Amino acid sequence: MHSTRKVKDDLIYVGGSDRRLSRFENLFPIPRGVSYNSYVLLDEKTVLFDTVDDSIGRQFTENVLYALGGRELDYLVVQHMEPDHCSLIDEMLRRYPQAKIVCSARAVGMLSQFYALDVKDRALVVAEGDKLSTGRHTLHFMMAPMVHWPEVMVTYDEPDKILFSADAFGTFGALAGNLFDDELQLDSMWMADTRRYYSNIVGKYGAQVQALLKKAAALDIEMICPLHGPVWRGNLPVLLEKYQKWSTYEPEEQGVMIAYATMYGNTENAAQVLAGLLAERGVHNIAMYDVSGTDVSELVAESFRCSHLVLAAPTYNGGLHPRMEGYLADLKALGLQNRTAALLENGTWAPVSAKHMRTMLESMKNMTVLEQPVSIRSALADGQRASLEALADVLASQILA
Ligand SMILES: Cc1cc2nc3c(=O)[nH]c(=O)nc-3n(C[C@H](O)[C@H](O)[C@H](O)COP(=O)(O)O)c2cc1C
Ligand SMILES: [Fe+2]
Ligand SMILES: [Fe+2]
């Protein structure tokens, strides 16, 4: 049975959600599932914006057939060639043999690479600023290279002021009937997943997201239809403000995240003591994570949120605890910048973990590493409380400034 929703009288949501997949890209845990969004526009010509992942292919096909109500499909706009949106292109082209593919030049090659689809005869290749009239609607195409992949483009629907934004403004989280952001409680889970999606999937491409935001700023936008998660219309200023911060690597909040690694609990204890000292100094909402027990995608998201990072780790085989090393490598790969970090190391015979963490942080842009890491020999010694207090003083004074 079809499961569609009206976005506008002539715009139908035909996507669906997967709650079975445990990891998106076989990498990121998605306990709340994920949606693959797709939209049918019913104008004098009909348009389908992107398709979906194989996993929801049957639901999608039923939705498209229902939405078109027996009409032919004239255009399939392919904004992004990642398989989570392309698996059903082949199926659509077979069902609608006269449909034209509207896509960027780079997408044409990818269609043949992924699906052995030679679409040259039926591709309407568009470039920056090109327009397509479908009747009442005029679609404007804007290139958004590397707002996830190089072939990405987005589409602005002129009369209805809708931006079809591809992966930009997407989020993890399945949709349960409620399609619009103003039908959902955004504050906790949805915003955390939007942040985790942004930071891990497009976090590296801040400059390219900035370029897209500049183009978007020149448009009058009433609604954003992304390829994952809710359609945004009630909270656009909030979302755009978050994107502005994330894409310029500015912290969202003056706040501290303590990430610790531990084998036997002694480094954890030091992190706990420090957290208490920070709290006594008036720091609120302290976030603390064991890097072994927290998925690195959460650690990355929290690092994009907080202004201050406390990194605490044991020395491991003459180097850094591997989970801490993996997390910092991810931060570097995603290009995080502009944070202040405090280091806490542990080692029983030759502690070197602070040196390793410092080297990794200093290879990133604009990271301030506070001087004098706290160095523990196996377990916090009585005399070391003072050094944790001194560190808490510095952190609290910066965070509460
Ligand atoms: C596999 C392994 C390798 C280690 N390598 C080193 C090392 O190279 N240098 C060192 O000083 N301590 C090393 N240690 C000791 C730990 O860093 C030290 O015991 C630390 O206090 C553990 O902190 P924790 O209680 O938070 O797990 C190693 C421990 C393990 C289990
Ligand atoms: Fe993508
Ligand atoms: Fe996607």
Side-chain angles (χ1 to χ4, degrees), residues 36-54:
Y36 304 105
N37 300 344
S38 171
Y39 309 85
V40 164
L41 179 67
L42 300 166
D43 204 358
E44 284 167 30
K45 301 282 185 188
T46 60
V47 184
L48 174 62
F49 291 96
D50 295 296
T51 72
V52 296
D53 189 75
D54 263 335

Side-chain angles (χ1 to χ4, degrees), residues 84-85 167 197 228:
D84 57 336
H85 309 292
D167 273 343
Y197 176 92
H228 302 282

Side-chain angles (χ1 to χ4, degrees), residues 3-8 11-14 177-180 183 233:
S3 167
T4 59
R5 274 205 65 188
K6 245 185 207 182
V7 181
K8 292 263 179 184
L11 185 66
I12 319 290
Y13 177 85
V14 292
N178 296 124
L179 173 63
F180 299 98
E183 298 175 335
R233 65 177 182 190

Side-chain angles (χ1 to χ4, degrees), residues 24-25 80 82 84-85 147-149 152 167 197 201 228:
F24 186 76
E25 290 183 4
H80 182 19
E82 199 167 3
D84 57 336
H85 309 292
V147 179
H148 201 206
W149 278 18
V152 172
D167 273 343
Y197 176 92
I201 310 271
H228 302 282

Side-chain angles (χ1 to χ4, degrees), residues 199-227:
S199 53
N200 287 277
I201 310 271
V202 262
K204 182 180 173 64
Y205 304 109
Q208 291 84 350
V209 173
Q210 273 291 300
L212 177 58
L213 289 177
K214 294 219 168 74
K215 290 181 192 181
L219 304 168
D220 185 6
I221 297 175
E222 283 183 2
M223 202 186 278
I224 293 181
C225 291
L227 290 178

